[in-house]
Amino acid sequence: MFGLIGHLTSLEHAQAVAEHLGYPEYADQGLDFWCSAPPQIVDDITVTSITGQVIEGKYVESCFLPEMLAARRIKAATRKVVNAMAHAQKHGINITALGGFSSIIFENFKLENIKQVRNIKLEFERFTTGNTHTAYVICRQVEQMAPKLGIDLAQATVAVCGATGDIGSAVCRWLDRRTDVGELLLIARDRDRLQNLQTELGRGKIMGLEEAMPLADVIVWVASMPKGVEISTDNLKKPSLIIDGGYPKNMATQIQHPEVHVLEGGIVEHSLDIDWKIMKIVNMQVPARQLFACFAESMLLEFEKLYTNFSWGRNQITIEKMDQIGQVSVKHGFKPLLLSI
Ligand code: NDP
């Protein structure tokens, strides 16, 4: 059995969907209440591969909210993640993806040091961040979508915001070695990490966001930001492709310009309907078929009976592992989400 640990995008979102998740009494509660709410299994899932194989899974709502980070409720945030992991393990789930901020909190607050949660000894090999599949899907979205918009990647400038992150660094490696894009712009806040990445790649220009925006034909957003930033289309190249891979979304603005194309990043579409309700609750456009690539990674590991933490630690995603997960993604019928133009 596979598992997905997820969370909602904001307190407002959580209050609005509490009833659908099965706990209507949470709907009018504030952040304090959500900080103390326990994890819950809110969905039983059945997925059929195009090979005909059928697997079962469960969705664990951790009750984490990004506002907990903004309000510096770090203890609450970390408790949400380890409690959700213990809950998944207690229910006998073999491989569980840590969705959205769960893996970021796990890494940033070194939760590998918390090995015991009440009577459960956490077995980390039962968990995956899902980031290898997410990075693979984002790269395929760049490769498949840019040419449709008349952007020649061999000549193009691609800006990666969140370049030093787990997903961002993997995306940079692939775009450098596989896609061989014209120019890479590396954006993040920590200068040392940016320089280390630049050294590893042997290329890439380190730049601020404002400076990079007008130069980029493609912008990949994979920064871990609790709230999105406002973008004005005035500063963007036309045409350009923006792939917003953050959860919550990195871009707060709804871009409305005929030559600026925004694609939801790290989202896959399955070839067959999935029997679940959770993607409707998180407002996925086609909830029976579309899902986060990190969640799909745990499904793929279950299909392949690869019970191992396939994506783990930070900045260790290799092109070979992206290839491996990409092949099984195609085999079982998942496709990167594209824009219909
Ligand atoms: P990491 O924490 O590993 O990396 C985050 C990156 O963002 C770092 O480079 C960090 O560098 C940068 N960053 C953070 N804040 C800012 C800022 N204000 N301005 C510029 N750069 C910033 O995160 P992951 O790679 O694990 O995840 C990245 C995003 O992808 C998250 O939003 C996550 O929720 C989402 N995600 C989506 C998935 C999907 O299936 N679609 C799956 C998993 C994650 P620095 O701190 O130096 O600025």
Side-chain angles (χ1 to χ4, degrees):
M1 191 179 354
F2 69 89
L4 316 171
I5 292 178
H7 62 82
L8 301 164
T9 54
S10 65
L11 177 61
E12 196 188 352
H13 181 206
Q15 289 168 332
V17 300
E19 191 168 346
H20 305 290
L21 286 171
Y23 30 79
E25 64 281 14
Y26 289 18
D28 50 6
Q29 299 287 349
L31 192 62
D32 279 348
F33 183 89
W34 284 85
C35 282
S36 58
Q40 310 212 22
I41 290 177
V42 295
D43 212 358
D44 290 305
I45 308 165
T46 305
V47 191
T48 306
S49 160
I50 52 171
T51 64
Q53 192 184 344
V54 179
I55 54 169
E56 305 285 334
K58 291 186 187 298
Y59 183 89
V60 183
E61 169 55 51
S62 70
C63 291
F64 164 79
L65 295 172
E67 283 91 342
M68 292 174 193
L69 293 180
R72 307 219 51 79
R73 307 282 293 262
I74 306 302
K75 233 187 174 142
T78 55
R79 230 179 22 234
K80 297 285 148 194
V81 176
V82 289
N83 284 347
M85 291 170 77
H87 201 63
Q89 199 175 305
K90 195 170 83 186
H91 284 81
I93 300 174
N94 300 312
I95 186 75
T96 299
L98 300 180
F101 265 100
S102 319
S103 66
I104 295 168
I105 292 168
F106 188 93
E107 281 302 323
N108 289 359
F109 301 106
K110 307 204 179 330
L111 302 192
E112 73 271 12
N113 295 325
I114 303 179
K115 299 201 171 68
Q116 193 79 28
V117 180
R118 288 176 298 278
N119 60 340
I120 308 249
K121 186 172 177 296
L122 286 179
E123 294 164 16
F124 295 136
E125 64 277 12
R126 287 172 179 253
F127 299 90
T128 185
T129 64
N131 286 349
T132 311
H133 191 228
T134 304
Y136 163 82
V137 167
I138 290 173
C139 292
R140 295 298 293 141
Q141 288 179 303
V142 172
E143 289 175 345
Q144 293 175 13
M145 205 58 231
K148 287 186 199 285
L149 302 173
I151 299 169
D152 173 9
L153 286 171
Q155 308 294 327
T157 297
V158 182
V160 181
C161 184
T164 52
D166 197 36
I167 299 171
S169 60
V171 166
C172 288
R173 267 174 224 124
W174 181 288
L175 293 180
D176 166 37
R177 288 178 225 158
R178 272 296 158 83
T179 325
D180 197 17
V181 296
E183 182 81 83
L184 264 177
L185 308 182
L186 313 175
I187 304 159
R189 294 164 304 177
D190 186 301
R191 194 85 194 174
D192 289 346
R193 284 208 297 263
L194 279 165
Q195 269 158 1
N196 289 344
L197 177 68
Q198 191 184 44
T199 306
E200 180 204 320
L201 297 171
R203 67 180 287 196
K205 287 191 183 148
I206 296 172
M207 270 193 191
L209 186 58
E210 293 299 319
E211 202 188 350
M213 290 277 168
L215 304 176
D217 300 288
V218 180
I219 303 169
V220 177
W221 281 98
V222 277
S224 50
M225 298 191 287
K227 264 179 116 175
V229 295
E230 297 287 339
I231 302 286
S232 158
T233 49
D234 297 347
N235 300 333
L236 301 174
K237 216 166 167 177
K238 325 275 178 336
S240 59
L241 169 63
I242 301 180
I243 303 209
D244 192 356
Y247 186 80
K249 293 285 136 221
N250 284 177
M251 285 170 44
T253 349
Q254 282 284 348
I255 298 251
Q256 303 227 320
H257 188 286
E259 287 186 279
V260 179
H261 305 269
V262 183
L263 173 58
E264 292 204 23
I267 305 287
V268 281
E269 196 156 86
H270 192 40
S271 307
L272 301 167
D273 283 359
I274 298 175
D275 183 10
W276 59 359
K277 65 174 184 193
I278 192 65
M279 286 301 126
K280 190 155 192 265
I281 291 172
V282 300
N283 302 322
M284 200 61 82
Q285 270 182 10
V286 185
R289 294 205 170 190
Q290 291 175 0
L291 61 148
F292 301 105
C294 62
F295 286 172
E297 181 170 305
S298 73
M299 296 174 184
L300 294 169
L301 298 177
E302 174 70 22
F303 276 130
E304 295 293 310
K305 300 276 173 282
L306 266 173
Y307 296 139
T308 160
N309 41 9
F310 190 82
S311 311
W312 207 241
R314 272 295 181 266
N315 296 28
Q316 290 173 21
I317 299 175
T318 61
I319 291 180
E320 291 70 30
K321 286 193 96 170
M322 288 167 77
D323 263 332
Q324 187 187 351
I325 203 76
Q327 277 164 23
V328 291
S329 183
V330 173
K331 170 180 166 188
H332 292 288
F334 293 94
K335 295 179 203 126
L337 181 70
L338 299 177
L339 292 168
S340 42
I341 46 161

